[in-house]
């Protein structure tokens, strides 16, 4: 289940540092924005979502920020751990449908000890 | 923790052959999906399935593709006559009514290689 991408942007961080992964979206009509994580050999795994009428939502060690003015979404991971190493995808969803998640290009997060 | 199980993990087939990819969604889930990921590209929606019928499908999901839930546990994706460009990782996903529209549980994927 690898999502190995020859040209995936990569973010390299030191263990314990904070990570910020960014995503630009195009559809202003999306009602939800979501972050998924894909570890090597596995399928995508839900991390956190945010409704379009919010600008910030916090989870456990993660925060999602939404800037609708510039159509920008970010995922902040506090105190990054080696287990956070994965490819991270942003996705959009429009309420009222049957969950056709539209995924963006991934970003590889590499955590170094 | 409940998992979505997919088989086979890797299938190699000749162009023009039929392929069936199998999925066992989580038992109490009601919504089922297939996505695919061509190497190096985005995860793309193919089809969603609810109440024993297709609820939405993408442009990729043409008449060469079909889905079926033949019994209470399996959910299959059939490609009738494979093309080279069908080579990809195919992910099955499911969700229940209560988890929210954004929270899909994905399987580990089936890698399809068409020669």
């Amino acid at each position: 289940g690898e999502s190995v991408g020859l040209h995936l942007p990569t973010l390299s961080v030191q263990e314990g540092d904070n990570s910020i992964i960014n995503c630009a979206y195009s559809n202003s009509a999306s009602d939800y924005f979501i972050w998924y994580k894909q570890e090597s050999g596995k399928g995508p795994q839900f991390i956190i979502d945010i409704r379009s009428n919010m600008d910030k939502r916090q989870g456990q060690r993660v925060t999602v920020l939404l800037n609708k003015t510039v159509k920008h979404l970010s995922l902040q991971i506090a105190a990054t751990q080696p287990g956070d190493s994965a490819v991270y995808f942003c996705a959009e969803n429009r309420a009222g449908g049957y969950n056709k998640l539209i995924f963006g290009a991934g970003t590889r997060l590499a955590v170094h000890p | 923790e409940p998992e979505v199980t997919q088989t086979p993990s890797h299938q190699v087939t000749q162009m023009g052959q039929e392929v069936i990819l199998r999925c066992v969604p989580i038992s109490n889930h009601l919504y089922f999906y297939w996505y695919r990921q061509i190497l190096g590209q985005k995860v793309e929606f193919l089809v969603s399935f609810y109440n024993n019928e297709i609820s939405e499908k993408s442009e990729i999901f043409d008449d060469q593709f079909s889905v079926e839930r033949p019994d209470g546990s399996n959910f299959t994706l059939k490609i009738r006559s494979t093309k080279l460009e069908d080579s990809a990782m195919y992910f099955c996903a499911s969700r229940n009514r209560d988890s929210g529209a954004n929270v899909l549980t994905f399987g580990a994927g089936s890698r399809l290689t068409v020669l």
Side-chain angles (χ1 to χ4, degrees), chain B residues 98-109:
Chain B
D98 300 329
S99 63
N102 303 319
V103 186
L104 307 188
T105 302
F106 283 83

Side-chain angles (χ1 to χ4, degrees), chain A residues 1-5 32 34 36 38 41-44 46 49 89 93 98-101 103-105, chain B residues 31 33 35 37 39-40 42-43 45 48 50 55-56 89 91 95 101-104 106-108 111:
Chain A
E2 270 193 280
S3 64
V4 175
Y32 289 91
I34 311 107
Y36 273 79
Q38 187 175 25
K42 298 184 180 180
F46 173 85
D49 61 359
F89 293 96
N93 194 2
Y98 286 93
N99 335 124
K100 186 173 74 175
L101 297 184
F103 283 85
Chain B
Y31 300 83
Y33 309 84
Y35 284 78
Q37 186 177 35
L39 185 64
K42 301 176 184 179
V43 177
F45 169 80
S48 58
Y50 171 71
S55 46
E56 191 164 358
M89 182 71 78
F91 292 105
R95 77 166 182 94
N102 303 319
V103 186
L104 307 188
F106 283 83
R111 182 176 296 280

